[in-house]
Amino acid sequence: MDRKIFGAGALSAMTAVALGAFGAHALKERISVDMLEVFRTGVNYHLAHSLAIIACSFALPILGNKVRICSWLFGIGILLFAGSLYALALSGNRMLGIITPFGGVAFLSGWLLLAITAFKSTAGDAI
């Protein structure tokens, strides 16, 4: 297990939980139902990919250093995808939605690289 990646994933998950609570309590009466749903979508993807980062910390010794790239792609995806959804929901500025697909591409790239790395790996064959 890589402790730095694990710690980054744990802090990211903590942030997702805090933002989820903020959205559920502080924003409930302040933004529209549609924008609250946008915020929740950001929280859901943020939390799911925080857990993916944590999983990468365990996969790194088995699959090798390409998993480090996967964790970075998941982190970039969180910043771009979830971050743009948070900003959109809080500001109402729909132009921020232009950023969201770039985060989605980072997520997809991370998952694809993780799958390719797992299928090609020979490091875990000895386990």
Side-chain angles (χ1 to χ4, degrees), residues 40-126:
R40 283 183 186 142
T41 299
V43 169
N44 289 338
Y45 277 81
H46 185 162
L47 185 56
H49 287 86
S50 297
L51 296 175
I53 292 170
I54 291 170
C56 285
S57 76
F58 289 101
L60 184 66
I62 300 165
L63 299 177
N65 276 325
K66 286 187 181 174
V67 174
R68 193 176 308 279
I69 297 168
C70 299
S71 66
W72 275 98
L73 287 167
F74 294 145
I76 291 166
I78 289 168
L79 288 174
L80 295 177
F81 187 89
S84 66
L85 293 181
Y86 297 146
L88 169 62
L90 293 171
S91 72
N93 182 351
R94 296 208 177 261
M95 288 298 294
L96 292 167
I98 293 170
I99 300 167
T100 310
F102 293 103
V105 169
F107 286 150
L108 292 170
S109 299
W111 286 115
L112 180 61
L113 179 58
L114 190 59
I116 290 169
T117 302
F119 287 129
K120 287 187 169 184
S121 176
T122 58
D125 292 345

